[in-house]
Amino acid sequence: MAEAVIVSTARTAIGRTRKGSLVGLDAFELAEAVVPAALERGGVPAADVDDVVLAESYQGGGVIARNIAVRLGLFNASGAATNRHCAGGLTAVSIAAGSIRAGMDRVVIAGGTESLTNAARSSKRDATGEYQPWMAPSHPETPEAPAFDMSITVGENTAREMGLTRRDVDEWTVYTHERALASIDSGAFVDEIIPLDVTLPDGTTKRFDTDEHPRRGTTLERLATLPLLHPELPNATVTAANAAGLNDAAAAVTLTSDDYAATHGLTPLARIRSWATAGIEPALTGLAPTLAIPRALDRAGLALADIDLFEINEAFCSVPVAAVRKLGIRPEIVNVNGSGASLGHPIAATGARMVVTMVGELRRRGASLGCVSMCAGGGMGAAMIIEIV
């Protein structure tokens, strides 16, 4: 069986939605920046690209991957769109890896693109025949799992299920901002980020090459002054700070078969050891990583102790805290570069961004194995094991 190896990675810096540096670029334009960058960095001839798989979530439906393939002259790459909510970008990478391991494709560019700033708005006919604003629900609405309030469905429910306090999640919030800012300040992300020259709403231009969501001066004392999103709930924990950001970004990786890489003189950065998804009742969405991670480890023939680094996306900070406690992971090897609450959570791009960052951090440390995982709206979870080669 062929191995699926990553020969290049690329991402944009992460912008803040509606008021950040990427407000002038839509999801198509963000993808148009990272796909050719991943291709160029990989040293793969454009004619050899068999497919482009990109996650998209709030872009109105369609196949951005095919649109971008055509824009870039990759006419032979059909293109595919995938949507698994927050896990979409990771799913795109696993689809590409699966096709390569099955011997169906040799070269696939995979990732995700998200512009929440410029997200499409939908409408649907009501009982009177009039069109009203509409958004597709991630799951059927129930009192314990609101379809459009993840602060309850994920954040509060996870905290309550695991007995977490507001201090528990606020302490993680401080930690993730410290780790994100330390990574930015040390230049850890420089090689993975594609600088973009962007035009701001006031007409000025700037070079955008640094994640802008992390907030300096994040302390427990400051966090304690923030209002709860649901003060009516007993032992509530969720604030705007210990939840993921709303963000814009794109990320992509070039995957090839190991045989293709060897034949073409390419140096693989990492290989995909395994991946897994998991379903759980929507009210327990935040615990989905605790199911997906063991499943991915088992498929790779690995134990928890074999993993050098984890990133467990901070849709809410209760999610990684819950996973650490439930699975017995050492917290100091989790989210060492920050994650959703600090770096930001550009939904469809997040999983691919996590892969990009994990590959870079493992190589910087001379480490071998990393696991990226997240929950996703509607009671879904995903995990992937990456090994440096």
Side-chain angles (χ1 to χ4, degrees):
M1 181 179 69
E3 294 282 359
V5 298
I6 296 172
V7 297
S8 68
T9 67
R11 72 174 179 95
T12 68
I14 301 170
R16 292 178 182 164
T17 295
R18 293 188 294 275
K19 57 183 178 181
S21 299
L22 295 179
V23 297
L25 299 177
D26 63 20
F28 293 84
E29 293 166 310
L30 293 173
E32 194 175 7
V34 298
V35 169
L39 183 63
E40 181 180 356
R41 289 179 171 190
V44 175
D48 287 358
V49 178
D50 295 309
D51 210 349
V52 179
V53 184
L54 294 178
E56 52 184 273
S57 57
Y58 292 105
Q59 309 310 316
V63 182
I64 291 178
R66 178 56 184 169
N67 189 293
I68 299 308
V70 172
R71 292 190 193 194
L72 300 176
L74 304 176
F75 300 113
N76 56 304
S78 175
T82 184
N83 183 359
R84 190 171 263 141
H85 298 315
C86 305
L90 193 62
T91 298
V93 177
S94 66
I95 289 171
S99 183
I100 289 169
R101 289 176 67 166
M104 298 295 103
D105 290 315
R106 298 183 306 160
V107 179
V108 182
I109 300 174
T113 184
E114 189 69 75
S115 176
L116 288 176
T117 295
N118 299 296
R121 294 183 180 273
S122 299
S123 61
K124 188 176 182 179
R125 285 177 56 173
D126 63 17
T128 69
E130 297 296 321
Y131 280 90
Q132 303 295 338
W134 180 82
M135 178 181 292
S138 63
H139 61 275
E141 179 87 15
T142 61
E144 67 276 9
F148 298 106
D149 190 347
M150 294 299 124
S151 68
I152 293 177
T153 300
V154 180
E156 295 291 3
N157 286 357
T158 302
R160 183 172 59 255
E161 185 72 16
M162 293 298 297
L164 307 181
T165 67
R166 176 173 174 176
R167 184 177 181 87
D168 290 330
V169 294
D170 278 352
E171 285 178 345
W172 191 274
T173 305
V174 173
Y175 165 78
T176 187
H177 279 273
E178 289 176 346
R179 298 315 306 151
L181 290 165
S183 297
I184 291 170
D185 292 345
S186 69
F189 300 142
V190 169
D191 290 341
E192 65 192 53
I193 290 176
I194 302 301
L196 298 178
D197 292 319
V198 298
T199 301
L200 303 179
D202 64 3
T204 61
T205 61
K206 65 175 286 189
R207 172 60 60 96
F208 182 55
D209 58 7
T210 303
D211 300 313
E212 64 186 7
H213 191 76
R215 295 185 181 276
R216 297 185 184 275
T218 299
T219 64
L220 276 175
E221 291 74 24
R222 289 189 176 184
L223 294 178
T225 67
L226 298 179
L228 292 162
L229 296 189
H230 289 284
E232 76 281 2
L233 296 178
N235 303 313
T237 64
V238 177
T239 68
N242 58 42
L246 298 175
N247 302 95
D248 305 330
V253 299
T254 304
L255 298 103
T256 76
S257 67
D258 53 346
D259 289 344
Y260 178 94
T263 299
H264 291 79
L266 306 179
T267 302
L269 302 175
R271 67 173 173 140
I272 308 299
R273 278 287 295 267
S274 70
W275 60 90
T277 59
I280 195 169
E281 59 186 277
L284 298 178
T285 294
L287 294 179
T290 68
L291 302 179
I293 290 171
R295 194 171 294 176
L297 289 170
D298 181 66
R299 292 176 180 179
L302 298 169
L304 203 70
D306 295 321
I307 303 301
D308 297 300
L309 295 174
F310 288 84
E311 184 175 347
I312 303 170
N313 184 45
E314 297 152 355
F316 295 85
C317 286
S318 56
V319 174
V321 176
V324 163
R325 295 191 180 184
K326 194 171 182 67
L327 297 179
I329 304 171
R330 292 185 290 124
E332 64 269 20
I333 64 170
V334 180
N335 297 3
V336 298
N337 301 110
S339 194
S342 54
L343 289 176
H345 183 18
I347 298 172
T350 292
R353 195 283 306 162
M354 293 166 72
V355 172
V356 170
T357 301
M358 180 61 75
V359 169
E361 187 61 29
L362 288 169
R363 293 179 66 85
R364 275 190 295 275
R365 292 175 177 237
S368 178
L369 291 163
C371 174
V372 297
S373 184
M374 70 257 285
C375 64
M380 298 185 288
M384 178 174 285
I385 308 298
I386 299 165
E387 182 176 25
I388 297 302
V389 295

